[in-house]
PDB file of all heavy atoms in Angstrom:
ATOM      1  N   ARG A 143      -4.531  27.141   2.224  1.00 97.00           N
ATOM      2  CA  ARG A 143      -3.842  26.013   1.618  1.00 97.00           C
ATOM      3  C   ARG A 143      -2.583  26.430   0.933  1.00 97.00           C
ATOM      4  O   ARG A 143      -2.491  27.539   0.361  1.00 97.00           O
ATOM      5  CB  ARG A 143      -4.719  25.358   0.552  1.00 97.00           C
ATOM      6  CG  ARG A 143      -6.162  25.108   0.902  1.00 97.00           C
ATOM      7  CD  ARG A 143      -7.010  24.737  -0.300  1.00 97.00           C
ATOM      8  NE  ARG A 143      -8.376  24.963  -0.046  1.00 97.00           N
ATOM      9  CZ  ARG A 143      -9.045  26.086  -0.295  1.00 97.00           C
ATOM     10  NH1 ARG A 143      -8.418  27.152  -0.893  1.00 97.00           N
ATOM     11  NH2 ARG A 143     -10.316  26.224  -0.036  1.00 97.00           N
ATOM     12  N   SER A 144      -1.575  25.551   0.937  1.00 98.00           N
ATOM     13  CA  SER A 144      -0.442  25.687   0.110  1.00 98.00           C
ATOM     14  C   SER A 144      -0.296  24.406  -0.667  1.00 98.00           C
ATOM     15  O   SER A 144      -0.958  23.384  -0.338  1.00 98.00           O
ATOM     16  CB  SER A 144       0.813  25.987   0.951  1.00 98.00           C
ATOM     17  OG  SER A 144       0.764  27.283   1.461  1.00 98.00           O
ATOM     18  N   ILE A 145       0.564  24.353  -1.675  1.00 98.00           N
ATOM     19  CA  ILE A 145       0.683  23.141  -2.526  1.00 98.00           C
ATOM     20  C   ILE A 145       2.099  22.955  -2.938  1.00 98.00           C
ATOM     21  O   ILE A 145       2.883  23.889  -3.207  1.00 98.00           O
ATOM     22  CB  ILE A 145      -0.289  23.239  -3.706  1.00 98.00           C
ATOM     23  CG1 ILE A 145      -0.399  21.873  -4.401  1.00 98.00           C
ATOM     24  CG2 ILE A 145       0.110  24.325  -4.691  1.00 98.00           C
ATOM     25  CD1 ILE A 145      -1.622  21.745  -5.302  1.00 98.00           C
ATOM     26  N   SER A 146       2.502  21.689  -2.951  1.00 98.00           N
ATOM     27  CA  SER A 146       3.871  21.305  -3.380  1.00 98.00           C
ATOM     28  C   SER A 146       3.833  19.894  -3.932  1.00 98.00           C
ATOM     29  O   SER A 146       2.743  19.226  -3.910  1.00 98.00           O
ATOM     30  CB  SER A 146       4.858  21.354  -2.172  1.00 98.00           C
ATOM     31  OG  SER A 146       6.136  21.138  -2.543  1.00 98.00           O
ATOM     32  N   GLY A 147       4.918  19.477  -4.501  1.00 98.00           N
ATOM     33  CA  GLY A 147       5.005  18.091  -5.027  1.00 98.00           C
ATOM     34  C   GLY A 147       6.334  17.783  -5.649  1.00 98.00           C
ATOM     35  O   GLY A 147       7.228  18.662  -5.700  1.00 98.00           O
ATOM     36  N   HIS A 148       6.469  16.574  -6.087  1.00 98.00           N
ATOM     37  CA  HIS A 148       7.721  16.075  -6.606  1.00 98.00           C
ATOM     38  C   HIS A 148       7.545  15.466  -8.001  1.00 98.00           C
ATOM     39  O   HIS A 148       6.588  14.716  -8.220  1.00 98.00           O
ATOM     40  CB  HIS A 148       8.233  14.949  -5.656  1.00 98.00           C
ATOM     41  CG  HIS A 148       9.425  14.184  -6.135  1.00 98.00           C
ATOM     42  ND1 HIS A 148       9.463  12.807  -6.167  1.00 98.00           N
ATOM     43  CD2 HIS A 148      10.612  14.630  -6.689  1.00 98.00           C
ATOM     44  CE1 HIS A 148      10.674  12.418  -6.642  1.00 98.00           C
ATOM     45  NE2 HIS A 148      11.325  13.524  -6.939  1.00 98.00           N
ATOM     46  N   SER A 149       8.378  15.829  -8.928  1.00 98.00           N
ATOM     47  CA  SER A 149       8.380  15.270 -10.296  1.00 98.00           C
ATOM     48  C   SER A 149       7.019  15.479 -11.001  1.00 98.00           C
ATOM     49  O   SER A 149       6.623  16.603 -11.200  1.00 98.00           O
ATOM     50  CB  SER A 149       8.805  13.712 -10.210  1.00 98.00           C
ATOM     51  OG  SER A 149       9.161  13.253 -11.451  1.00 98.00           O
ATOM     52  N   MET A 150       6.336  14.363 -11.300  1.00 98.00           N
ATOM     53  CA  MET A 150       4.938  14.564 -11.836  1.00 98.00           C
ATOM     54  C   MET A 150       4.117  15.362 -10.953  1.00 98.00           C
ATOM     55  O   MET A 150       3.273  16.170 -11.378  1.00 98.00           O
ATOM     56  CB  MET A 150       4.330  13.206 -12.124  1.00 98.00           C
ATOM     57  CG  MET A 150       2.905  13.241 -12.611  1.00 98.00           C
ATOM     58  SD  MET A 150       2.111  11.603 -12.738  1.00 98.00           S
ATOM     59  CE  MET A 150       1.852  11.222 -10.995  1.00 98.00           C
ATOM     60  N   GLY A 151       4.275  15.170  -9.595  1.00 98.00           N
ATOM     61  CA  GLY A 151       3.524  15.965  -8.626  1.00 98.00           C
ATOM     62  C   GLY A 151       3.985  17.410  -8.565  1.00 98.00           C
ATOM     63  O   GLY A 151       3.194  18.248  -8.220  1.00 98.00           O
ATOM     64  N   GLY A 152       5.260  17.672  -8.840  1.00 98.00           N
ATOM     65  CA  GLY A 152       5.710  19.087  -8.921  1.00 98.00           C
ATOM     66  C   GLY A 152       5.020  19.768 -10.065  1.00 98.00           C
ATOM     67  O   GLY A 152       4.608  20.930  -9.957  1.00 98.00           O
ATOM     68  N   HIS A 153       4.919  19.074 -11.241  1.00 98.00           N
ATOM     69  CA  HIS A 153       4.120  19.584 -12.346  1.00 98.00           C
ATOM     70  C   HIS A 153       2.674  19.857 -11.890  1.00 98.00           C
ATOM     71  O   HIS A 153       2.138  20.932 -12.171  1.00 98.00           O
ATOM     72  CB  HIS A 153       4.138  18.584 -13.493  1.00 98.00           C
ATOM     73  CG  HIS A 153       2.839  18.392 -14.238  1.00 98.00           C
ATOM     74  ND1 HIS A 153       2.431  19.281 -15.175  1.00 98.00           N
ATOM     75  CD2 HIS A 153       1.913  17.423 -14.121  1.00 98.00           C
ATOM     76  CE1 HIS A 153       1.231  18.887 -15.660  1.00 98.00           C
ATOM     77  NE2 HIS A 153       0.922  17.768 -15.044  1.00 98.00           N
ATOM     78  N   GLY A 154       2.092  18.906 -11.158  1.00 98.00           N
ATOM     79  CA  GLY A 154       0.715  19.097 -10.681  1.00 98.00           C
ATOM     80  C   GLY A 154       0.598  20.296  -9.780  1.00 98.00           C
ATOM     81  O   GLY A 154      -0.360  21.075  -9.904  1.00 98.00           O
ATOM     82  N   ALA A 155       1.492  20.488  -8.850  1.00 98.00           N
ATOM     83  CA  ALA A 155       1.435  21.611  -7.961  1.00 98.00           C
ATOM     84  C   ALA A 155       1.486  22.915  -8.695  1.00 98.00           C
ATOM     85  O   ALA A 155       0.782  23.860  -8.397  1.00 98.00           O
ATOM     86  CB  ALA A 155       2.607  21.532  -6.929  1.00 98.00           C
ATOM     87  N   LEU A 156       2.374  22.997  -9.650  1.00 98.00           N
ATOM     88  CA  LEU A 156       2.553  24.249 -10.439  1.00 98.00           C
ATOM     89  C   LEU A 156       1.303  24.569 -11.236  1.00 98.00           C
ATOM     90  O   LEU A 156       0.787  25.729 -11.202  1.00 98.00           O
ATOM     91  CB  LEU A 156       3.721  24.168 -11.382  1.00 98.00           C
ATOM     92  CG  LEU A 156       5.122  24.060 -10.729  1.00 98.00           C
ATOM     93  CD1 LEU A 156       6.146  23.739 -11.749  1.00 98.00           C
ATOM     94  CD2 LEU A 156       5.454  25.328  -9.958  1.00 98.00           C
ATOM     95  N   ILE A 157       0.704  23.589 -11.897  1.00 98.00           N
ATOM     96  CA  ILE A 157      -0.510  23.893 -12.706  1.00 98.00           C
ATOM     97  C   ILE A 157      -1.695  24.206 -11.811  1.00 98.00           C
ATOM     98  O   ILE A 157      -2.509  25.036 -12.162  1.00 98.00           O
ATOM     99  CB  ILE A 157      -0.787  22.823 -13.758  1.00 98.00           C
ATOM    100  CG1 ILE A 157      -1.149  21.491 -13.087  1.00 98.00           C
ATOM    101  CG2 ILE A 157       0.322  22.665 -14.750  1.00 98.00           C
ATOM    102  CD1 ILE A 157      -1.715  20.392 -14.074  1.00 98.00           C
ATOM    103  N   CYS A 158      -1.798  23.571 -10.646  1.00 98.00           N
ATOM    104  CA  CYS A 158      -2.937  23.804  -9.795  1.00 98.00           C
ATOM    105  C   CYS A 158      -2.844  25.272  -9.311  1.00 98.00           C
ATOM    106  O   CYS A 158      -3.878  25.939  -9.249  1.00 98.00           O
ATOM    107  CB  CYS A 158      -2.934  22.850  -8.605  1.00 98.00           C
ATOM    108  SG  CYS A 158      -3.435  21.187  -8.977  1.00 98.00           S
ATOM    109  N   ALA A 159      -1.651  25.719  -8.954  1.00 98.00           N
ATOM    110  CA  ALA A 159      -1.480  27.042  -8.454  1.00 98.00           C
ATOM    111  C   ALA A 159      -1.705  28.113  -9.569  1.00 98.00           C
ATOM    112  O   ALA A 159      -2.356  29.098  -9.377  1.00 98.00           O
ATOM    113  CB  ALA A 159      -0.094  27.249  -7.849  1.00 98.00           C
ATOM    114  N   LEU A 160      -1.128  27.800 -10.749  1.00 97.00           N
ATOM    115  CA  LEU A 160      -1.288  28.745 -11.869  1.00 97.00           C
ATOM    116  C   LEU A 160      -2.695  28.885 -12.380  1.00 97.00           C
ATOM    117  O   LEU A 160      -3.139  29.967 -12.835  1.00 97.00           O
ATOM    118  CB  LEU A 160      -0.338  28.328 -12.986  1.00 97.00           C
ATOM    119  CG  LEU A 160       1.123  28.532 -12.696  1.00 97.00           C
ATOM    120  CD1 LEU A 160       2.059  27.766 -13.706  1.00 97.00           C
ATOM    121  CD2 LEU A 160       1.488  30.027 -12.736  1.00 97.00           C
ATOM    122  N   HIS A 161      -3.454  27.850 -12.294  1.00 97.00           N
ATOM    123  CA  HIS A 161      -4.848  27.830 -12.753  1.00 97.00           C
ATOM    124  C   HIS A 161      -5.831  28.457 -11.745  1.00 97.00           C
ATOM    125  O   HIS A 161      -6.983  28.790 -12.080  1.00 97.00           O
ATOM    126  CB  HIS A 161      -5.333  26.437 -13.116  1.00 97.00           C
ATOM    127  CG  HIS A 161      -5.058  25.956 -14.488  1.00 97.00           C
ATOM    128  ND1 HIS A 161      -5.502  26.663 -15.593  1.00 97.00           N
ATOM    129  CD2 HIS A 161      -4.391  24.885 -14.940  1.00 97.00           C
ATOM    130  CE1 HIS A 161      -5.129  26.052 -16.666  1.00 97.00           C
ATOM    131  NE2 HIS A 161      -4.456  24.992 -16.345  1.00 97.00           N
ATOM    132  N   ASN A 162      -5.381  28.591 -10.493  1.00 97.00           N
ATOM    133  CA  ASN A 162      -6.324  29.000  -9.408  1.00 97.00           C
ATOM    134  C   ASN A 162      -5.798  30.128  -8.592  1.00 97.00           C
ATOM    135  O   ASN A 162      -5.454  29.912  -7.421  1.00 97.00           O
ATOM    136  CB  ASN A 162      -6.578  27.797  -8.550  1.00 97.00           C
ATOM    137  CG  ASN A 162      -7.348  26.687  -9.308  1.00 97.00           C
ATOM    138  OD1 ASN A 162      -8.539  26.713  -9.450  1.00 97.00           O
ATOM    139  ND2 ASN A 162      -6.597  25.679  -9.752  1.00 97.00           N
ATOM    140  N   PRO A 163      -5.652  31.316  -9.191  1.00 97.00           N
ATOM    141  CA  PRO A 163      -5.178  32.472  -8.421  1.00 97.00           C
ATOM    142  C   PRO A 163      -6.037  32.705  -7.122  1.00 97.00           C
ATOM    143  O   PRO A 163      -7.265  32.679  -7.177  1.00 97.00           O
ATOM    144  CB  PRO A 163      -5.328  33.672  -9.393  1.00 97.00           C
ATOM    145  CG  PRO A 163      -6.280  33.215 -10.439  1.00 97.00           C
ATOM    146  CD  PRO A 163      -6.118  31.750 -10.502  1.00 97.00           C
ATOM    147  N   GLY A 164      -5.339  32.890  -6.012  1.00 96.00           N
ATOM    148  CA  GLY A 164      -5.988  33.120  -4.768  1.00 96.00           C
ATOM    149  C   GLY A 164      -6.339  31.903  -3.988  1.00 96.00           C
ATOM    150  O   GLY A 164      -6.643  31.968  -2.796  1.00 96.00           O
ATOM    151  N   ARG A 165      -6.230  30.731  -4.612  1.00 97.00           N
ATOM    152  CA  ARG A 165      -6.642  29.501  -3.892  1.00 97.00           C
ATOM    153  C   ARG A 165      -5.498  29.025  -2.967  1.00 97.00           C
ATOM    154  O   ARG A 165      -5.830  28.380  -1.910  1.00 97.00           O
ATOM    155  CB  ARG A 165      -6.999  28.375  -4.883  1.00 97.00           C
ATOM    156  CG  ARG A 165      -7.479  27.129  -4.211  1.00 97.00           C
ATOM    157  CD  ARG A 165      -8.116  26.103  -5.172  1.00 97.00           C
ATOM    158  NE  ARG A 165      -8.605  24.940  -4.473  1.00 97.00           N
ATOM    159  CZ  ARG A 165      -9.743  24.880  -3.816  1.00 97.00           C
ATOM    160  NH1 ARG A 165     -10.574  25.932  -3.798  1.00 97.00           N
ATOM    161  NH2 ARG A 165     -10.171  23.765  -3.240  1.00 97.00           N
TER     162      ARG A 165
END
Side-chain angles (χ1 to χ4, degrees):
R143 314 168 200 92
S144 292
I145 193 164
S146 186
H148 172 229
S149 195
M150 177 186 73
H153 141 78
L156 293 173
I157 62 170
C158 288
L160 288 165
H161 271 304
N162 294 279
R165 184 168 183 82

